[in-house]
Amino acid sequence: MALDLGTILTAIEVVQRAIAIYHRVDELPSQMKHLGQRMERMNLFLVRFEAFVTNKPDTAYAALFSGQKDELAGVLESINGHAATAHDLFDRYEKGILSRTHDLQFRIKWATQLWFALVDSTPEKIQAVMDDIEFDRVLLSDYLSLMNAQGVEILVNNAKPQPQTGDDAGADKDKTKNNKEKKHDSKKGKKGANASKDNEKQPTSPLAVASKRPPPSPSPSPSPMPPRRDYKILFVDPYNLGRSVVAEALMKLLGQLTLRANGSWRISEIHSAGFFTKNQSNCVDVIEGLDYSYESFNLGVRERNEAPEAAALAAVFDNNMYEYPFKKTIRDALAGRSAHGLRQDMFRHYDFIIVFTSREHDNVIKLKEALHRSGGANLGQLPRGKGRVLHLGAFVARDGGRPREITTPPKNPDSAAFRHDWNVKVAQIKTAIKRFLKQEMAWQRPEKKAL
């Protein structure tokens, strides 16, 4: 499948056709309601994507390698297929169709509901479709983040998601209101029904379905939820010896500095790991079997039970930065451990998996896809916001639209330039981490007087 604007618009059309029936049908089973809500979330991401590409037709894909473009096209193709499955389920439920191949159809509504509940579309079958759609959305989100497209503001006010208390809370109230309006409209007679069918055939804009829901009722809003303070972050590089350890150290130092100044710190866990590191990894077989976009992306799995790069740790700690007791504690903990690899539950456990180059981003995305296909990690049922893959270089100045590649300095331990190169690299990583914290955590740098 080619990756162009037409491909995106086709996916939007298929998704919105399914959503249109979801809005129209009364008294859907619970799982079918959740399926419709997942489709609505997918629609919002696709609309953002379409607006980003429309506004930047020449540079929208500048952040992607050719292999990544192919992968993104594959994600859109998968969205089309799963959206078509959802559309078929909604359509057959609405029309009482048991089987398209055998032209079987129920004439009474309760029989259709019973068939769907007990035979044709059990909760397990619907859940499988929901999982696939949600995983497609997670992958699309990862690519939009890499392309710097996540922040595009293109939705009208009443298309923005309303405050929710659960995974899909709030949608049922809107659905009930739509059903009442639909019942009222049905009293207008056959002529109105025919007009409704004619309108259904008309092409819709990308915002048509997203803007369909009515504005929120004037009832009192619930109290805002307190900000999360349990975010978990994992830094990943090939062997967990340099950049990932540096990033872990810097974020832990900033965390202790913020807490010392009585500031707001919303991260509970900070770790690092090596993609190709065998020690403590249970992903080795999957990693070795990946279909890498380029042969050079496969660096080879190694044991690597060694300590972090001494020059990298020195660039972080052998200076006057953050001269507090916690500095030595953090250094001793990092210097005394050996490199370790990835675990299959990483996408479920961590909110952010942060990498340093586009190669590493591509490899981690492929690992996520492979684990999802294997079925062992249940990645289609990730809690909302979990397992996001971010390129740290996207938080510093971009190179011609691409995220800045934060690479490892050329290794020459006997050269003074090697330590200098690590000093530069540490400064770059620290700047990117601070911008990440400000953007994703609303972090504020502690004032000196507060320390």
Side-chain angles (χ1 to χ4, degrees):
M1 174 182 284
L3 181 59
D4 54 30
L5 185 60
T7 302
I8 304 170
L9 291 173
T10 298
I12 291 174
E13 179 184 1
V14 177
V15 169
Q16 291 188 351
R17 284 174 55 209
I19 295 174
I21 303 178
Y22 160 64
H23 284 171
R24 198 166 62 233
V25 178
D26 293 333
E27 302 174 1
L28 281 168
S30 175
Q31 288 292 89
M32 296 281 280
K33 290 180 182 179
H34 292 321
L35 176 60
Q37 292 155 8
R38 295 288 175 93
M39 297 300 291
E40 288 181 318
R41 291 176 62 193
M42 175 65 80
N43 182 62
L44 293 178
F45 275 80
L46 288 170
V47 169
R48 291 188 180 100
F49 187 17
E50 184 271 334
F52 179 76
V53 174
T54 299
N55 293 333
K56 299 183 177 182
D58 298 327
T59 61
Y61 303 112
L64 304 180
F65 293 119
S66 59
Q68 291 172 316
K69 293 178 184 178
D70 294 339
E71 293 293 333
L72 180 53
V75 172
L76 291 172
E77 185 175 15
S78 180
I79 291 172
N80 275 340
H82 295 141
T85 299
H87 175 272
D88 181 67
L89 286 170
F90 286 123
D91 186 54
R92 289 195 293 116
Y93 185 89
E94 181 184 37
K95 297 176 181 177
I97 298 174
L98 279 69
S99 171
R100 296 192 187 278
T101 57
H102 296 90
D103 195 25
L104 298 176
Q105 184 170 355
F106 279 126
R107 296 297 181 183
I108 49 180
K109 188 171 184 178
W110 66 264
T112 302
Q113 295 173 342
L114 185 63
W115 174 268
F116 266 74
L118 299 179
V119 182
D120 187 67
S121 298
T122 62
E124 292 77 13
K125 292 181 179 180
I126 300 295
Q127 185 64 53
V129 177
M130 289 169 55
D131 291 348
D132 287 336
I133 290 171
E134 182 65 10
F135 185 70
D136 289 340
R137 187 198 62 77
V138 169
L139 286 184
L140 180 60
S141 175
D142 289 336
Y143 280 108
L144 293 182
S145 176
L146 184 63
M147 296 165 62
N148 200 29
Q150 278 285 53
V152 178
E153 297 294 339
I154 51 86
L155 298 180
V156 293
N157 290 336
N158 62 348
K160 293 179 179 179
Q162 301 301 322
Q164 299 178 339
T165 57
D167 182 53
D168 294 307
D172 288 345
K173 293 182 179 179
D174 290 336
K175 183 79 184 319
T176 301
K177 186 172 183 179
N178 284 345
N179 289 340
K180 291 181 179 179
E181 293 174 352
K182 175 182 171 298
K183 290 178 180 178
H184 175 73
D185 292 340
S186 66
K187 297 178 181 180
K188 294 182 179 179
K190 185 175 181 180
K191 182 177 180 180
N194 291 336
S196 175
K197 291 181 180 179
D198 291 338
N199 290 337
E200 182 186 343
K201 297 177 182 178
Q202 298 300 319
T204 57
S205 68
L207 288 175
V209 174
S211 305
K212 187 172 180 178
R213 288 205 180 278
S217 64
S219 57
S221 300
S223 301
M225 297 291 291
R228 281 186 58 188
R229 298 187 182 280
D230 61 348
Y231 283 100
K232 301 176 178 62
I233 295 175
L234 178 69
F235 293 100
V236 177
D237 64 5
Y239 296 111
N240 195 213
L241 299 175
R243 291 163 297 161
S244 62
V245 180
V246 164
E248 179 184 352
L250 289 170
M251 186 168 279
K252 286 181 175 178
L253 288 171
L254 287 171
Q256 291 299 315
L257 194 72
T258 302
L259 293 172
R260 184 182 180 90
N262 295 320
S264 176
W265 187 251
R266 302 173 60 189
I267 304 171
S268 62
E269 289 186 29
I270 306 166
H271 297 124
S272 63
F275 189 88
F276 293 104
T277 300
K278 187 174 183 180
N279 184 37
Q280 300 183 36
S281 173
N282 63 359
C283 301
V284 173
D285 292 342
V286 180
I287 290 172
E288 289 182 330
L290 290 179
D291 180 19
Y292 293 90
S293 295
Y294 302 93
E295 186 177 349
S296 60
F297 282 15
N298 184 0
L299 303 184
V301 174
R302 303 177 189 173
E303 194 68 39
R304 304 308 290 254
N305 291 334
E306 54 198 276
E309 178 65 56
L313 290 181
V316 176
F317 293 103
D318 290 351
N319 49 52
N320 295 324
M321 180 177 64
Y322 310 144
E323 286 295 347
Y324 299 99
F326 59 75
K327 183 176 182 179
K328 182 178 186 302
T329 301
I330 294 173
R331 177 172 189 164
D332 290 346
L334 292 175
R337 78 173 195 199
S338 59
H340 53 266
L342 302 178
R343 307 293 297 176
Q344 290 194 17
D345 66 349
M346 58 185 280
F347 298 103
R348 178 170 295 278
H349 183 77
Y350 293 98
D351 297 276
F352 298 97
I353 293 99
I354 303 179
V355 298
F356 303 87
T357 66
S358 295
R359 176 196 66 202
E360 292 155 6
H361 188 279
D362 193 59
N363 286 352
V364 172
I365 293 293
K366 284 189 175 296
L367 175 60
K368 180 190 281 190
E369 291 181 285
L371 290 175
H372 177 66
R373 287 195 302 269
S374 71
N378 292 325
L379 299 186
Q381 300 182 34
L382 288 176
R384 184 174 298 187
K386 286 288 186 180
R388 290 177 57 190
V389 182
L390 297 183
H391 189 319
L392 190 62
F395 295 91
V396 294
R398 291 187 169 235
D399 297 323
R402 297 186 61 83
R404 181 67 59 86
E405 301 289 75
I406 304 177
T407 58
T408 300
K411 189 169 183 178
N412 186 1
D414 298 328
S415 171
F418 185 56
R419 167 62 190 275
H420 170 76
D421 290 343
W422 266 116
N423 289 342
V424 173
K425 196 63 59 177
V426 166
Q428 188 181 41
I429 293 174
K430 182 169 70 171
T431 298
I433 286 176
K434 287 181 175 179
R435 291 179 180 175
F436 160 79
L437 291 172
K438 290 178 181 178
Q439 178 174 316
E440 299 290 341
M441 308 285 172
W443 174 77
Q444 295 183 353
R445 181 178 180 177
E447 298 182 8
K448 290 185 178 180
K449 62 181 180 180
L451 296 170

